[in-house]
C-alpha cells in the first residue's frame, strides 16, 4: 500500500474540492444540451470556478509557489526559485460539454533550473466520475488510488491498443490534419485498435496504468501533459517527442508507450 506524501495529499485535496462543484455542473450540462446556444458559456464558467478552487487550496498549502494555469496564465512564484504548479482544471472540456463522463483535473509540480530546463517532480490526474486518483512523485513510482502502477508488458504492435488525439477545427494546420490521417492509417492496420478518448491527461494516466499500450498526439499544452509525463515514466514507460527526444514538455508533441513498443510506434508514426 502506498503511503502518500504531504505534497500528494495537498494535490488530492485540491482536486477533490474542485471536483465537487465540477460534478454538480456536469449534472447541469445535460439539461443545457437542448438549448440552442448550448452549454458552452456554462462550461467555461465551471472550468474557471474549478481553477479558482484549486489555486486557493494549493496557495494555502504552499504560499510562495508560482502557477501556470490553463485559464489564469502564469503567476510568478513569490519565493525565489520556488516550484510552479501546472494546472489543467478540466481536461476533456469537449467531453464535458457534450455530457460525456470522461474528464479530469490535472496538477503537476514543475521545477525549472538556471538553464530553463523543466523537471516535473510530482503529478496527479483525478477522474472524479470513476473516482480514480492517479499520482506520481519523481523516483517514488506511480499509483492509482493505493495500487502501484506499471505500464503494460505487451511486446508487439499487433497486440497493442493505442490512444491518440485527433486534430480538429481550429487545432493544427491542413498539413497536420493530413499527417494525422496517414498516421492513423498506419497504426490502425498494424495494431489491435486505436481510441480517441478526449482527455490527454487521462490518456497518459491510462498508459501508466497499462490500459493503453501507447499514445500519440501533437500540439498539446504543458498543462495537458505535465502530470502525465511523470506518471508514464514512474510507471516504467517511455515518453518523448516524435523524434525520440526528451522534448515532449517543450513542444507538446507526445509519443508515450511501454518500453518494448515505444521505438516501433515512433518508426510507424514517421513512416
Ligand atoms: C484537450 C484534451 C484533448 C486533446 C486536446 C486538448 P482540454 O484539452 O486533452 O484530449 O486532444 O488537444 O486541448 O481543452 O479539454 O483541456
Ligand atoms: Ca487540457
Amino acid at each position: 500500500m502506498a503511503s502518500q506524501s504531504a505534497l500528494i495529499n495537498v494535490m488530492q485535496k485540491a482536486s477533490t474540492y474542485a471536483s465537487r462543484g465540477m460534478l454538480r455542473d456536469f449534472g447541469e450540462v445535460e439539461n443545457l444540451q437542448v438549448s440552442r446556444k448550448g452549454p458552452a458559456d456554462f462550461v467555461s464558467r465551471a472550468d474557471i470556478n474549478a481553477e479558482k478552487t484549486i489555486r486557493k487550496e494549493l496557495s494555502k498549502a504552499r504560499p510562495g509557489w508560482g502557477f501556470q494555469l490553463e485559464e489564469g496564465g502564469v503567476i510568478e512564484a513569490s519565493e525565489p526559485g520556488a516550484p510552479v504548479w501546472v494546472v489543467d482544471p478540466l481536461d476533456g472540456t469537449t467531453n464535458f460539454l457534450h455530457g460525456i463522463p470522461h474528464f479530469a483535473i490535472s496538477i503537476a509540480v514543475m521545477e525549472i533550473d538556471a538553464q530553463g530546463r523543466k523537471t516535473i517532480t510530482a503529478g496527479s490526474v483525478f477522474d472524479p466520475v470513476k473516482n480514480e486518483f492517479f499520482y506520481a512523485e519523481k523516483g517514488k513510482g506511480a499509483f492509482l488510488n493505493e495500487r502501484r502502477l506499471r505500464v503494460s508488458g505487451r511486446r508487439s504492435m499487433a497486440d497493442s491498443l493505442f490512444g491518440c488525439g485527433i486534430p480538429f477545427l481550429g487545432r493544427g494546420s491542413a498539413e497536420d490534419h493530413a499527417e494525422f490521417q496517414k498516421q492513423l492509417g498506419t497504426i490502425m492496420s498494424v495494431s489491435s485498435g486505436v481510441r480517441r478518448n478526449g482527455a490527454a491527461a487521462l490518456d497518459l494516466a491510462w498508459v501508466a496504468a497499462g490500459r493503453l499500450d501507447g499514445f500519440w498526439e501533437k500540439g498539446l499544452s504543458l498543462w495537458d501533459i505535465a502530470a502525465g509525463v511523470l506518471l508514464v515514466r514512474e510507471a516504467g514507460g517511455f515518453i518523448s517527442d516524435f523524434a525520440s527526444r526528451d522534448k515532449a514538455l517543450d513542444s507538446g508533441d507526445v509519443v508515450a508507450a511501454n518500453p518494448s513498443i515505444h521505438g516501433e510506434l515512433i518508426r510507424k508514426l514517421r513512416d
Side-chain angles (χ1 to χ4, degrees):
M1 183 158 129
S3 67
Q4 274 182 219
S5 71
L7 183 64
I8 295 293
N9 282 337
V10 165
M11 294 156 76
Q12 187 167 26
K13 197 169 152 205
S15 307
T16 306
Y17 282 177
S19 74
R20 292 191 187 138
M22 193 177 274
L23 288 174
R24 262 196 313 274
D25 291 338
F26 186 67
E28 281 301 306
V29 158
E30 282 189 319
N31 305 329
L32 295 169
Q33 299 294 346
V34 288
S35 72
R36 219 170 127 238
K37 205 165 150 235
D41 291 345
F42 176 82
V43 171
S44 79
R45 276 199 304 278
D47 199 353
I48 289 166
N49 286 340
E51 192 174 276
K52 276 193 192 140
T53 305
I54 294 166
R55 194 181 150 193
K56 191 169 139 226
E57 284 304 312
L58 297 179
S59 357
K60 210 160 63 186
R62 298 288 185 275
W65 292 19
F67 281 94
Q68 186 153 348
L69 303 155
E70 176 170 16
E71 304 300 329
V74 173
I75 298 161
E76 296 296 337
S78 59
E79 201 182 291
V84 174
W85 294 109
V86 181
V87 178
D88 189 344
L90 174 54
D91 184 51
T93 317
T94 306
N95 283 347
F96 192 98
L97 183 64
H98 286 260
I100 297 171
H102 186 77
F103 50 85
I105 295 167
S106 175
I107 301 176
V109 176
M110 181 172 75
E111 297 186 13
I112 306 176
D113 68 15
Q115 283 72 46
R117 281 187 301 249
K118 298 172 182 138
T119 307
I120 307 298
T121 54
S124 68
V125 177
F126 181 44
D127 174 343
V129 173
K130 299 176 200 68
N131 197 22
E132 290 189 324
F133 183 69
F134 299 87
Y135 65 94
E137 278 183 282
K138 198 164 189 297
K140 295 189 187 163
F143 298 84
L144 163 52
N145 296 335
E146 284 163 0
R147 186 167 58 85
R148 180 91 191 230
L149 294 180
R150 243 347 264 172
V151 291
S152 74
R154 292 193 187 83
R155 293 170 158 268
S156 77
M157 293 291 281
D159 293 334
S160 295
L161 180 66
F162 294 97
C164 68
I166 305 181
F168 43 89
L169 181 65
R171 172 66 63 85
S173 62
E175 290 76 44
D176 292 329
H177 289 203
E179 185 190 28
F180 174 79
Q181 289 180 355
K182 192 164 164 277
Q183 291 169 339
L184 180 62
T186 307
I187 304 302
M188 64 192 258
S189 60
V190 298
S191 69
S192 283
V194 181
R195 303 284 183 268
R196 197 296 187 235
N197 294 330
L202 276 176
D203 288 323
L204 292 174
W206 284 21
V207 171
R211 294 175 182 173
L212 294 171
D213 303 293
F215 167 78
W216 83 95
E217 183 164 358
K218 269 195 158 172
L220 287 161
S221 298
L222 181 62
W223 47 79
D224 300 315
I225 55 176
V229 164
L230 186 65
L231 278 163
V232 169
R233 291 205 170 125
E234 288 296 324
F238 287 178
I239 186 158
S240 69
D241 67 5
F242 284 63
S244 283
R245 295 171 305 197
D246 182 10
K247 294 241 180 276
L249 283 174
D250 299 307
S251 64
D253 298 341
V254 174
V255 183
N258 81 40
S260 307
I261 57 169
H262 183 262
E264 181 68 2
L265 176 58
I266 289 198
R267 272 190 297 284
K268 294 277 183 225
L269 289 169
R270 295 174 67 176
D271 260 358

